[in-house]
Amino acid sequence: NAGVMQNPRHLVRRRGQEARLRCSPVKGHSHVYWYRQLPEEGLKFMVYLQKENIIDESGMPKERFSAEFPKEGPSILRIQQVVRGDSAAYFCASSPRMTRANTEAFFGQGTRLTVV
Amino acid sequence: SQELEQSPQSLIVQEGKNLTINCTSSKTLYGLYWYKQKYGEGLIFLMMLQKGGEEKSHEKITAKLDEKKQQSSLHITASQPSHAGIYLCGADRAAMEYGNKLVFGAGTILRVKS
């Protein structure tokens, strides 16, 4: 998976707590994408970020979810006041800051969030 | 309904047999990606196709994008147990200058019987 690192791999939270999911892109990649894979559903786009900018958040739930990709450090997907329906696998992908020709999107191993 | 329709939803083949998975879109695809996912794990990039009529191969897996760029097929020759997993096609909808915001199909579950 070409170096996209996500942590933690597994996260258990009680209802009402906050979940923070981290993603370090492939070295040199400045584009980060977050996807969610709900049980029995496909992979859905959530948000697309570049360093310090949210480019497209059309797939993000309107409340409780936020994402950032600071100048330094990993991208963070933050879920406040988690509910059972947030239980899912969250994947991060990164791609280089180049044109689309031969551009692969490399995915991390995912963070599996379980809300109890 | 899914923007990308994958068929079949699941497939069980005998080891050594060939198989094909299809991915169909009602809209033009600017980039078509094939990934493999083992249950409970991340996505492994297989291939990306951009041009109509393009065909790529990696080991025993071949993917094609039709001329109209609205359908892709993934063909596995002489399947092995290591091919088992979930195959996902992803499509790049927008003709963006950069980035990979992908729409995914629901996936095809492949089981290979020894």
Side-chain angles (χ1 to χ4, degrees):
Chain A
N1 283 324
V4 177
M5 302 300 295
Q6 288 188 249
N7 67 82
R9 290 289 306 276
H10 300 276
L11 182 62
V12 179
R13 284 286 178 266
R14 288 196 171 88
R15 281 179 295 170
Q17 290 185 319
E18 179 179 286
R20 280 184 177 239
L21 287 62
R22 295 175 185 76
C23 169
S24 295
V26 173
K27 187 178 180 181
H29 286 190
S30 57
H31 298 211
V32 164
Y33 315 79
W34 285 95
Y35 292 81
R36 177 166 66 173
Q37 189 174 41
L38 289 163
E40 308 304 322
E41 291 189 21
L43 207 55
K44 305 287 186 188
F45 167 81
M46 297 181 75
V47 62
Y48 164 30
L49 309 108
Q50 292 182 42
K51 288 281 187 182
E52 300 184 279
N53 284 309
I54 297 174
I55 305 301
D56 184 338
E57 56 182 348
S58 57
M60 287 278 269
K62 298 295 181 206
E63 297 176 348
R64 302 186 297 107
F65 284 71
S66 62
E68 62 177 10
F69 188 15
K71 188 176 180 182
E72 302 291 338
S75 175
I76 307 287
L77 180 68
R78 184 180 174 207
I79 311 172
Q80 294 179 290
Q81 300 175 327
V82 296
V83 300
R84 287 220 171 102
D86 297 333
S87 295
Y90 292 83
F91 290 95
C92 169
S94 74
S95 65
R97 183 182 167 274
M98 295 294 288
T99 61
R100 290 172 57 252
N102 298 317
T103 300
E104 304 169 3
F106 296 94
F107 280 78
Q109 291 290 304
T111 293
R112 277 150 188 86
L113 172 65
T114 303
V115 180
V116 296
Chain B
S1 63
Q2 295 279 344
E3 288 191 50
L4 289 180
E5 294 287 340
Q6 279 189 244
S7 62
Q9 287 185 313
S10 64
L11 193 55
I12 303 174
V13 299
Q14 191 68 40
E15 183 178 357
K17 295 294 186 184
N18 303 338
L19 64 108
T20 299
I21 298 169
N22 293 304
C23 177
T24 303
S25 170
S26 57
K27 303 176 184 178
T28 299
L29 301 167
Y30 289 96
L32 190 289
Y33 301 73
W34 283 101
Y35 289 89
K36 178 185 173 185
Q37 184 181 25
K38 292 270 190 184
Y39 182 76
E41 297 183 12
L43 277 68
I44 300 169
F45 173 81
L46 296 175
M47 274 169 278
M48 186 189 80
L49 304 162
Q50 282 188 300
K51 300 175 184 176
E54 187 174 11
E55 179 176 322
K56 287 186 179 179
S57 293
H58 175 68
E59 297 180 346
K60 294 184 178 179
I61 301 176
T62 300
K64 301 177 185 179
L65 183 62
D66 75 355
E67 290 288 344
K68 292 184 179 179
K69 296 171 64 175
Q70 288 189 263
Q71 185 174 33
S72 178
S73 60
L74 185 83
H75 184 76
I76 299 177
T77 305
S79 58
Q80 300 169 356
S82 61
H83 287 128
I86 303 169
Y87 288 82
L88 294 164
C89 65
D92 201 343
R93 279 284 180 232
M96 296 159 61
E97 286 189 1
Y98 51 79
N100 299 91
K101 175 185 169 184
L102 301 179
V103 171
F104 282 91
T108 295
I109 301 170
L110 171 64
R111 295 188 179 92
V112 180
K113 292 194 299 183
S114 300

